[in-house]
Amino acid sequence: AQSVTQPDIHITVSEGASLELRCNYSYGATPYLFWYVQSPGQGLQLLLKYFSGDILVQGIEGFEAEFKRSQSSFNLRRPSVHWSDAAEYFCAVGAHRKAAGNKLTFGGGTRVLVKP
Amino acid sequence: EAQVTQNPRYLITVTGKKLTVTCSQNMNHEYMSWYRQDPGLGLRQIYYSMNVEVTDKGDVPEGYKVSRKEKRNFPLILESPSPNQTSLYFCASSGTSGNYNEQFFGPGTRLTVL
């Protein structure tokens, strides 16, 4: 069964500093991987996705993630954090071959707080 | 505009009072799902549908029902809500054109059961 672990529940970072959010997945084949962000009181916004190919994935607004098959990881990076990046971030893995209606399995989320 | 809509966005109810949360998509997607979001657990799939009149249980189906009578609509029904169903609910839809198709999420419905 597929699973996703986000080891950090909370991260506090200073504005302008770099940020890396960890994600480890368990899946029996090459995974489809996603990062979503949820701002307070808002819905989910897709930041980026990995289906195949280049291991460094560029997303919206300067976010990027690196797929490391050997470590079963898909960490999200932000080179310079802005105050508006304060939100909860979710990593997810997608089921293959249309199983369970393209079901996504989510990690527990990492809440990011930004200090001025 | 391509979108998934949910109603209501906020709902406070009491234990045992039947309720329905509606979900509609305008992208002609075959697949639709319901997820619930709880602190520390992320989102978990409740039910999904791969076509009209085809539904199946996800990971946490207890206490919920769904129906898919039309392609665009996928309502979530709580016949007898209980406080442990207090949660944030998301509907999602996706197409079938490849091995995997991105899911489009609705804005969420925050449900409180007293």
Side-chain angles (χ1 to χ4, degrees):
Chain A
Q2 60 203 61
S3 66
V4 177
T5 302
Q6 294 180 244
D8 305 303
I9 298 174
H10 293 101
I11 287 181
T12 300
V13 60
S14 296
E15 195 168 10
S18 64
L19 173 68
E20 182 167 12
L21 303 182
R22 296 184 290 164
C23 172
N24 293 100
Y25 67 89
S26 173
Y27 193 69
T30 300
Y32 300 126
L33 294 163
F34 304 82
W35 274 99
Y36 288 87
V37 62
Q38 186 179 37
S39 298
Q42 302 298 309
L44 294 168
Q45 180 181 18
L46 180 66
L47 285 176
L48 49 79
K49 58 191 176 187
Y50 172 80
F51 283 6
S52 65
D54 293 341
I55 61 172
L56 192 61
V57 181
Q58 300 298 322
I60 62 172
E61 299 176 2
F63 284 93
E64 64 180 27
E66 185 173 8
F67 172 60
K68 291 186 177 179
R69 184 189 303 275
S70 61
Q71 298 178 20
S72 297
S73 70
F74 187 57
N75 294 350
L76 181 71
R77 296 199 288 254
R78 183 82 152 123
S80 178
V81 169
H82 187 261
W83 65 268
S84 61
D85 293 329
E88 190 157 24
Y89 293 80
F90 294 96
C91 181
V93 61
H96 268 230
R97 303 189 187 283
K98 307 178 178 63
N102 283 337
K103 168 186 169 181
L104 285 169
T105 298
F106 286 81
T110 298
R111 187 170 297 278
V112 173
L113 303 175
V114 180
K115 294 190 301 185
Chain B
E1 179 190 356
Q3 60 182 350
V4 178
T5 58
Q6 297 178 225
N7 282 292
R9 295 288 314 280
Y10 302 90
L11 180 58
I12 300 174
T13 189
V14 296
T15 298
K17 186 176 181 181
K18 181 179 178 180
L19 66 91
T20 299
V21 183
T22 65
C23 172
S24 183
Q25 50 95 4
N26 63 1
M27 295 166 279
N28 201 36
H29 284 164
E30 286 80 6
Y31 296 167
M32 298 186 75
S33 288
W34 276 102
Y35 293 82
R36 61 177 287 173
Q37 181 185 350
D38 301 292
L41 298 177
L43 281 76
R44 294 174 292 168
Q45 191 187 51
I46 303 170
Y47 266 95
Y48 66 95
S49 170
M50 295 176 78
N51 215 327
V52 174
E53 303 292 0
V54 179
T55 63
D56 208 345
K57 296 177 181 179
D59 295 322
V60 288
E62 292 77 21
Y64 303 95
K65 286 176 55 177
V66 293
S67 69
R68 188 94 181 272
K69 292 183 170 54
E70 305 166 284
K71 195 173 186 179
R72 63 183 291 122
N73 296 325
F74 190 45
L76 179 69
I77 303 155
L78 285 71
E79 295 267 0
S80 182
S82 62
N84 65 10
Q85 293 177 298
T86 293
S87 188
L88 180 59
Y89 292 86
F90 288 99
C91 181
S93 73
S94 61
T96 59
S97 59
N99 270 340
Y100 188 86
N101 294 90
E102 179 182 332
Q103 297 225 14
F104 293 80
F105 284 89
T109 295
R110 186 166 293 281
L111 172 65
T112 301
V113 183
L114 302 175

